[in-house]
């Protein structure tokens, strides 16, 4: 009985402590506290200043504080006069003026950041400084308590009795110097180095005006500065100008350098014909290219935006013992003996591992699944016979009191925080209560299925939340498809940070089927363009490409740029298949087959995992599967190629297959208000001028057979024809890269090339067929036209 009382007391105290902690950790609470502290700082400052002018008249009135007929001259009344009298006259004197400053800094820190540790540090150093000033004034203004305060005056007298005046002067000097050295890290070496560096910078200005320009490899700095000035004045859009006003001058200059330094350097390379060693010199001079520099002040979401839940797993020994006895007795009824049995308690399910006696057939135990479920009076019994990698048979039994797994617990886990994966996703916790983290970049695509209300949409939110907590906006972009129009709407707030969309579209989150088709085909164009970049860079995948680009070994003039990962999320795939069919399935299959190496990854979710929705081609290219509870064994076999998903208990209970083993997980729960807070936090920060733009694609393009007048042809028609014939690939994206054109002009050139009989008709996302075999045949064709 004593144990039960102890346990129940623990359960009552812990939630109260958590409620208090979450109350003060709440962003709204911190905002209110911050505003109060800032206003109180102004209150004290005004009352202190007023006290210095009126203290002699007000001092005699303070004894009659409650008398309504007596008034004071302090601007903040009797309360202001009383507080000022306490802090200035009775305590610290003039040094008390530092208290409003400390309060103001504390209020600002709480209001904007909520960092209470920083507030404690500010006050620790502040109180020491106030005491030093008060004692020093007590020594200098010996008989004037207004300057030193009673506290400073009395401490000064006390120290003089023991140390004398000379000793007190030496002590105050020592304490003052120690304060400056420790607080501001002032050392003779640091002061000397600062003096040298400032002198060196002034000398550099003089030397640069005298030095000659004899060696071409020493030129980049001057040329880069002039190029940067030209680029920064000519290419600024109104929206970029608005964003630049938010930042300081130094931050803007860093952003300009990050975006334009490669172009400037590459111009110098072409002008001076410098060899391959220039990239090493550039890395030495400028450092590696940093893709996050444009949003260098970006702050990742904090953990206090996520909800706390009571996640302590209560182990009921009576329940474990009763289940064990029922399993053993049920198996004995069918003459199946057991050597040993052990239990592993998870948040939702307990795994009972049994070792049968020698000679017992595993299939015999497997066939008793329904009998064991009946004896345990439990829903969702699953038998794993045998457990891969172990010489045991597993029986998974749902707990009577399941424990919720919060998103905060998996995000804050060491396994996720220290993960070095390219695209880490914290899905939830295993039966052994370990955080389960996977790398989307290695899966490389994820197929999710589950009946309505079983946790599928929460699973998608868990995936997106994981990436938001781990990857900078420069490193990953999302293409979100939401036919239901309600599940992913909150992510609209981070459009200019994380989302990708087609040009000239208002909403980044796609809900219209026609736009889905266009977007998928646009991703195919992006995929082809990225493969061309990998080919010219002579690398095999996006990771190697970005490493090479950061090392400044790729020329931006050749179209090279830093490539972010692109994650395509489709919330209800079955609805799209019903409305668009092959138009959706073909680009999806093409992306699933080819897009892994260039950093485009797919996450497809559906309520109905039937064979006409999840076809063989799609299944073959989605080795990673996440199955929530489904209604039938057929659906389970469709999604997992085996049974089990129909025996889950719902509410986030899921099976994950990475291609080999099937792992049972409790999916991390992230609620809509939590997503709202995270997107608000990110959306309130400085963003890119617009969302990441995908290549243009028009679903209505069907080519043209109308003859175009030769006089109306583009000035670059012959150049475009040569590019197409040499590459033997007829695509607008190729002309964009080679001739540095916009998509519309490149599209018109393709139409003109088709009318001239140089390329074939439009064939969807595929490149057009080139009808001219070589340059000689092209010249002959064009000469005949002019004749």
């Amino acid at each position: 009985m004593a144990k039960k009382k102890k346990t129940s007391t623990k359960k009552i105290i812990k939630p109260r402590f958590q409620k208090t902690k979450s109350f003060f950790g709440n962003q709204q609470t911190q905002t209110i506290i911050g505003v109060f502290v800032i206003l109180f700082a102004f209150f004290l400052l005004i009352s202190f200043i007023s006290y210095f002018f009126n203290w002699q008249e007000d001092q005699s009135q303070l004894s009659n504080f409650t008398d309504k007929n007596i008034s004071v001259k302090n601007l903040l009344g009797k309360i202001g006069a009383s507080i000022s009298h306490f802090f200035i006259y009775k305590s610290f004197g003039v040094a008390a003026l530092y208290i409003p400053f400390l309060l103001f800094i504390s209020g600002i820190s709480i209001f904007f950041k909520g960092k209470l540790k920083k507030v404690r540090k500010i006050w620790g150093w502040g109180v020491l400084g106030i005491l030093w000033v008060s004692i020093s004034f007590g020594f200098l203004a010996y008989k004037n308590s207004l300057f030193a305060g009673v506290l400073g005056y009395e401490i000064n007298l006390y120290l003089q009795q023991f140390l004398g005046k000379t000793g007190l002067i030496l002590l105050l000097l020592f304490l003052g110097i120690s304060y400056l050295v420790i607080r501001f890290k002032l050392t003779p070496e640091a002061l000397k180095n600062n003096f040298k560096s400032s002198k060196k910078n002034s000398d550099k200005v003089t030397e640069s005006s005298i030095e000659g320009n004899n060696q071409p490899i020493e030129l980049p700095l001057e040329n880069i500065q002039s190029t940067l000035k030209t680029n920064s004045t000519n290419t600024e859009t109104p929206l970029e100008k608005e964003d630049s006003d938010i930042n300081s001058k130094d931050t803007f200059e860093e952003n300009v350098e990050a975006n334009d330094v490669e172009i400037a350097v590459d111009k110098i390379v072409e002008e001076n014909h410098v060899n391959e060693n220039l990239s090493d010199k550039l890395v030495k001079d400028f450092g590696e290219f940093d893709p996050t520099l444009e949003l260098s002040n970006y702050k990742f979401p904090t953990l206090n935006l996520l909800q706390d839940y009571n996640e302590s797993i209560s182990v009921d020994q009576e329940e474990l013992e009763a289940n064990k006895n029922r399993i053993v007795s049920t198996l004995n009824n069918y003459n199946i003996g057991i050597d040993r049995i052990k239990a592993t308690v998870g948040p939702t399910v307990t795994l009972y591992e049994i070792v049968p006696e020698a000679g017992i057939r595993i299939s015999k135990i497997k066939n008793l699944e329904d009998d064991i479920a009946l004896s345990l009076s439990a829903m969702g019994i699953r038998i794993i016979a045998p457990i891969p990698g172990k010489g045991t048979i597993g029986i998974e039994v749902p707990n009577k009191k399941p424990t919720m797994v919060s998103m905060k617990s998996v995000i804050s886990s060491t396994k996720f925080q220290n993960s070095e994966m390219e695209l880490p996703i914290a899905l939830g916790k295993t039966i052994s209560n370990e955080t389960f983290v996977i790398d989307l970049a290695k899966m490389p695509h994820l197929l999710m299925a589950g009946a309505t209300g079983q946790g599928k949409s929460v699973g998608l939110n868990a995936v997106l939340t994981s990436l938001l907590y781990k990857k900078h906006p420069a490193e990953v972009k999302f293409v979100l498809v939401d036919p239901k129009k309600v599940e992913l709407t909150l992510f609209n707030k981070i459009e200019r940070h994380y989302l990708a969309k087609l040009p000239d579209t208002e909403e980044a989150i796609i809900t219209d089927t026609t736009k889905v088709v266009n977007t998928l085909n646009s991703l195919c164009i992006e995929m082809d363009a990225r493969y061309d970049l990998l080919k010219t860079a002579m690398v095999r995948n996006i990771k190697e490409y970005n490493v090479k680009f950061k090392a400044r070994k790729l020329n931006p003039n050749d179209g090279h740029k830093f490539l972010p990962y692109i994650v395509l999320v489709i919330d209800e795939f079955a609805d799209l298949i019903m409305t668009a069919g092959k138009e959706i399935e073909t680009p999806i299959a093409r992306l699933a087959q080819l897009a892994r190496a260039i950093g485009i990854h797919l996450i497809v979710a559906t309520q109905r995992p039937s064979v006409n929705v999840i076809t063989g081609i799609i299944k073959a290219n989605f080795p990673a599967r996440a199955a929530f509870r489904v209604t039938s064994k057929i659906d389970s076999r469709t999604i997992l190629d085996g049974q089990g998903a129909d025996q889950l208990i719902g509410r986030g209970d899921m099976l994950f297959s990475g291609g080999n083993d099937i792992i049972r997980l409790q999916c991390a729960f992230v609620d809509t208000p939590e997503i709202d807070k995270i997107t608000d936090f990110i959306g309130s920060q400085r963003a890119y001028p617009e969302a990441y733009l995908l290549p243009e694609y028009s679903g209505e393009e069907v080519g043209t057979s109308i003859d175009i007048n030769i006089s109306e042809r583009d000035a670059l028609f012959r150049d475009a024809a040569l590019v197409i014939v040499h590459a033997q690939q007829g695509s607008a994206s190729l002309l964009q890269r080679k001739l540095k054109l916009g998509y519309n002009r490149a599209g018109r050139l393709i139409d003109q090339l088709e009318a001239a009989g140089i390329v074939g008709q439009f064939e969807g996302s595929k490149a057009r067929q080139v009808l001219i075999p070589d340059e000689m045949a092209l010249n002959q064709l064009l000469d005949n036209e002019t004749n």
Side-chain angles (χ1 to χ4, degrees):
M1 294 296 290
K3 280 186 179 178
K4 285 185 180 177
K5 283 184 180 178
K6 194 173 181 181
T7 308
S8 62
T9 307
K10 221 173 184 181
K11 285 182 181 176
I12 292 168
I13 292 171
K14 192 169 181 182
R16 285 181 181 175
F17 173 74
Q18 286 177 346
K19 283 180 181 178
T20 306
K21 185 180 176 183
S22 63
F23 173 76
F24 285 104
N26 186 280
Q27 207 166 10
Q28 285 83 359
T29 306
Q30 290 172 355
T31 303
I32 293 169
I33 294 172
V35 170
F36 173 78
V37 173
I38 291 169
L39 293 177
F40 186 61
F42 282 108
F43 178 93
L44 285 185
L45 181 64
I46 295 167
S47 64
F48 285 1
I49 293 172
S50 180
Y51 182 80
F52 281 112
F53 293 98
N54 306 304
W55 70 278
Q56 290 177 324
E57 297 177 33
D58 290 348
Q59 197 171 14
S60 59
Q61 309 296 334
L62 292 176
S63 57
N64 300 317
F65 187 85
T66 57
D67 193 343
K68 295 180 181 179
N69 297 321
I70 296 174
S71 60
V72 295
K73 291 190 175 181
N74 193 291
L75 291 176
L76 292 173
K78 291 182 180 179
I79 292 177
S82 300
I83 294 174
S84 302
H85 182 72
F86 173 79
F87 279 109
I88 296 175
Y89 189 86
K90 289 188 175 182
S91 299
F92 307 113
V94 175
L97 287 170
Y98 194 55
I99 293 174
F101 176 75
L102 288 175
L103 284 169
F104 180 77
I105 295 296
S106 304
I108 291 293
S109 182
I110 294 169
F111 183 82
F112 286 107
K113 299 178 181 177
K115 293 186 178 178
L116 298 178
K117 288 184 180 178
K118 189 176 180 181
V119 172
R120 289 199 296 269
K121 186 178 178 182
I122 291 170
W123 275 94
W125 288 108
V127 169
L128 290 175
I130 289 171
L131 285 172
W132 187 87
V133 173
S134 180
I135 296 168
S136 299
F137 271 110
F139 178 79
L140 296 172
Y142 186 73
K143 293 183 179 179
N144 194 336
S145 294
L146 186 65
F147 283 95
V150 174
L151 186 65
Y153 177 77
E154 293 295 335
I155 294 174
N156 164 65
L157 284 179
Y158 182 79
L159 292 174
Q160 279 194 34
Q161 289 177 358
F162 287 93
L163 300 173
K165 288 188 176 181
T166 307
L168 181 57
I169 291 171
L170 293 174
L171 178 64
L172 288 172
L173 281 173
F174 171 73
L175 291 175
I177 293 169
S178 300
Y179 182 91
L180 293 173
V181 169
I182 298 171
R183 178 72 178 92
F184 301 106
K185 297 180 174 59
L186 293 179
T187 60
E189 291 80 7
L191 293 171
K192 189 177 178 182
N193 291 336
N194 286 335
F195 176 75
K196 278 185 177 179
S197 62
S198 61
K199 187 178 179 184
K200 202 171 183 181
N201 288 335
S202 62
D203 291 341
K204 270 186 180 179
V205 175
T206 310
E207 288 173 8
S208 63
S209 61
I210 298 170
E211 278 184 356
N213 296 330
N214 297 326
Q215 297 180 350
I217 203 162
E218 296 294 330
L219 287 176
L221 285 176
E222 290 183 12
N223 292 344
I224 286 168
Q225 293 300 328
S226 62
T227 308
L228 291 183
K229 285 177 183 176
T230 305
N231 290 340
S232 63
T233 54
N234 292 341
T235 60
E236 188 179 35
T237 63
L239 191 53
E240 288 169 341
K241 187 170 188 292
E242 181 184 340
D243 282 336
S244 67
D245 291 340
I246 299 172
N247 294 302
S248 66
K249 182 181 177 183
D250 295 336
T251 308
F252 178 72
E253 287 175 354
E254 285 178 0
N255 294 340
V256 171
E257 180 187 350
N259 292 327
D260 296 338
V261 72
E262 284 78 15
I263 298 172
V265 169
D266 291 322
K267 286 181 180 176
I268 295 160
V269 174
E270 291 175 3
E271 289 169 7
N272 296 288
H273 304 287
V274 183
N275 60 23
E276 281 293 327
N277 293 329
L278 181 63
S279 62
D280 296 330
K281 177 173 176 55
L282 291 175
V283 171
K284 185 178 179 182
D285 291 343
F286 299 103
E288 287 196 345
F289 173 77
D290 183 7
T292 67
L293 192 60
E294 192 174 349
L295 295 185
S296 57
N297 295 325
Y298 175 79
K299 304 294 182 188
F300 283 91
T302 53
L303 289 174
N304 64 355
L305 300 173
L306 296 170
Q307 186 70 35
D308 275 316
Y309 295 95
N310 181 14
E311 297 183 46
S312 58
I313 300 174
S314 56
V315 180
D316 191 336
Q317 293 294 340
E318 293 180 0
E319 182 184 343
L320 291 177
E321 192 66 26
N323 285 344
K324 183 198 79 172
N325 293 334
R326 286 169 185 162
I327 291 170
V328 172
S329 63
T330 303
L331 294 175
N332 283 335
N333 290 338
Y334 294 91
N335 299 321
I336 298 173
I338 294 174
D339 276 351
R340 61 182 184 273
I341 183 170
K342 68 173 183 177
T344 305
V345 182
T348 308
V349 174
T350 298
L351 173 65
Y352 295 88
E353 292 182 64
I354 62 175
V355 178
E357 292 178 348
I360 301 296
R361 297 183 65 179
I362 292 176
S363 59
K364 194 174 182 182
I365 299 175
K366 181 70 175 172
N367 293 333
L368 295 176
E369 199 167 61
D370 294 336
D371 297 276
I372 296 172
L374 179 64
S375 67
L376 295 173
S377 302
M379 178 186 72
I381 298 295
R382 195 172 78 101
I383 294 181
I384 312 165
I387 296 176
K390 295 184 178 181
T392 59
I393 294 171
I395 301 174
E396 293 174 348
V397 181
N399 298 336
K400 288 183 179 178
K401 294 181 180 178
T403 304
M404 181 177 288
V405 174
S406 70
M407 198 69 212
K408 185 173 185 177
S409 65
V410 296
I411 291 290
S412 60
S413 66
T414 307
K415 190 171 183 180
F416 181 79
Q417 292 293 330
N418 297 338
S419 169
E420 295 183 358
M421 299 174 180
E422 290 296 307
L423 296 172
I425 294 171
L427 269 183
K429 290 188 177 180
T430 63
I431 287 179
S432 56
N433 208 36
E434 294 179 1
T435 302
F436 186 74
V437 182
I438 51 175
D439 189 358
L440 180 61
K442 290 184 178 177
M443 285 196 284
H445 310 295
L446 176 62
L447 184 61
M448 300 178 72
T452 304
Q454 303 305 316
K456 181 168 43 59
S457 295
V458 173
L460 286 177
N461 285 336
V463 170
L464 294 171
T465 303
S466 300
L467 295 174
L468 291 177
Y469 267 89
K470 199 70 174 177
K471 306 303 289 185
H472 190 275
E475 298 172 319
V476 65
K477 302 295 178 184
F478 301 124
V479 179
L480 303 182
V481 178
D482 183 14
K484 289 190 279 189
K485 304 181 182 181
V486 293
E487 295 294 344
L488 302 173
T489 50
L490 287 175
F491 292 96
N492 261 328
K493 299 174 187 175
I494 58 172
E495 176 180 329
R496 292 196 296 146
H497 291 87
Y498 280 100
L499 300 192
K501 66 176 185 179
L502 290 171
D504 302 323
T505 54
E506 294 181 4
E507 296 291 333
I509 296 176
I510 308 154
T511 56
D512 182 66
T513 306
T514 306
K515 290 181 180 178
V516 176
V517 175
N518 292 347
T519 303
L520 292 176
N521 284 291
S522 174
L523 282 172
C524 290
I525 296 171
E526 174 78 9
M527 177 181 71
D528 294 334
R530 288 190 172 200
Y531 268 117
D532 287 340
L533 291 176
L534 263 61
K535 180 182 176 182
T536 55
M538 292 184 289
V539 293
R540 295 176 301 170
N541 55 54
I542 188 174
K543 188 176 180 181
E544 293 177 4
Y545 177 89
N546 282 337
V547 167
K548 205 168 183 178
F549 186 82
K550 286 179 182 179
R552 303 186 187 275
K553 293 181 179 179
L554 299 174
N555 191 339
N557 281 345
D558 295 334
H560 291 295
K561 58 184 177 180
F562 180 82
L563 298 178
Y565 285 93
I566 297 177
V567 179
L568 169 64
V569 179
I570 300 177
D571 187 26
E572 186 43 69
F573 187 59
D575 182 70
L576 296 178
I577 290 293
M578 287 174 63
T579 53
K582 288 291 181 183
E583 287 185 277
I584 293 286
E585 187 182 348
T586 302
I588 283 282
R590 190 159 182 261
L591 288 169
Q593 288 170 341
L594 299 173
R596 171 182 183 173
I598 44 82
I600 299 178
H601 301 280
L602 281 60
I603 300 174
V604 175
T606 181
Q607 290 179 359
R608 296 187 297 105
S610 53
V611 290
N612 60 333
V613 174
I614 303 175
T615 61
I617 296 175
I618 290 174
K619 283 183 67 176
N621 292 287
F622 283 79
R625 322 266 179 82
F628 294 87
R629 188 169 184 267
V630 294
T631 53
S632 69
K633 286 180 168 53
I634 296 172
D635 288 347
S636 177
R637 279 195 290 270
T638 304
I639 183 68
L640 290 175
D641 295 326
Q643 296 182 13
D646 56 310
Q647 296 164 322
L648 298 174
I649 60 173
R651 297 179 63 83
D653 188 20
M654 64 179 287
L655 295 174
F656 177 81
S657 171
N660 297 318
D661 302 338
I662 295 178
I663 302 168
R664 192 164 187 173
L665 305 171
Q666 177 61 37
C667 182
F669 178 71
V670 53
D671 205 357
T672 303
E674 295 173 78
I675 299 292
D676 197 13
K677 289 180 184 177
I678 294 168
T679 52
D680 276 339
F681 181 87
I682 296 172
S684 64
Q685 300 184 56
R686 182 177 178 270
Y688 295 109
E690 58 185 348
Y692 184 87
L693 294 181
L694 299 172
E696 285 191 66
Y697 176 85
S698 176
E700 297 174 359
E701 182 185 356
V702 292
T704 176
S705 57
I706 302 172
D707 190 21
I708 296 174
N709 196 329
I710 295 176
S711 62
E712 296 176 358
R713 283 178 180 171
D714 195 287
L716 292 175
F717 177 80
R718 183 177 283 269
D719 293 336
L722 283 171
V723 169
I724 293 294
V725 170
H726 286 159
Q728 286 295 300
Q729 180 185 344
S731 69
S733 58
L734 178 65
L735 295 181
Q736 283 181 271
R737 291 194 307 276
K738 295 295 183 182
L739 301 179
K740 298 180 177 61
L741 305 175
Y743 182 82
N744 292 332
R745 189 177 181 186
R748 285 196 299 271
L749 278 166
I750 287 290
D751 289 341
Q752 292 170 10
L753 291 169
E754 182 189 346
I758 297 171
V759 297
Q761 292 185 352
F762 175 72
E763 297 180 21
S765 59
K766 294 181 182 178
R768 294 172 183 248
Q769 183 183 358
V770 181
L771 306 176
I772 304 299
D774 51 36
E775 186 176 347
M776 185 181 294
L778 175 65
N779 290 334
Q780 187 177 356
L781 174 67
L782 297 179
D783 290 342
N784 290 338
E785 284 184 345
T786 55
N787 293 333

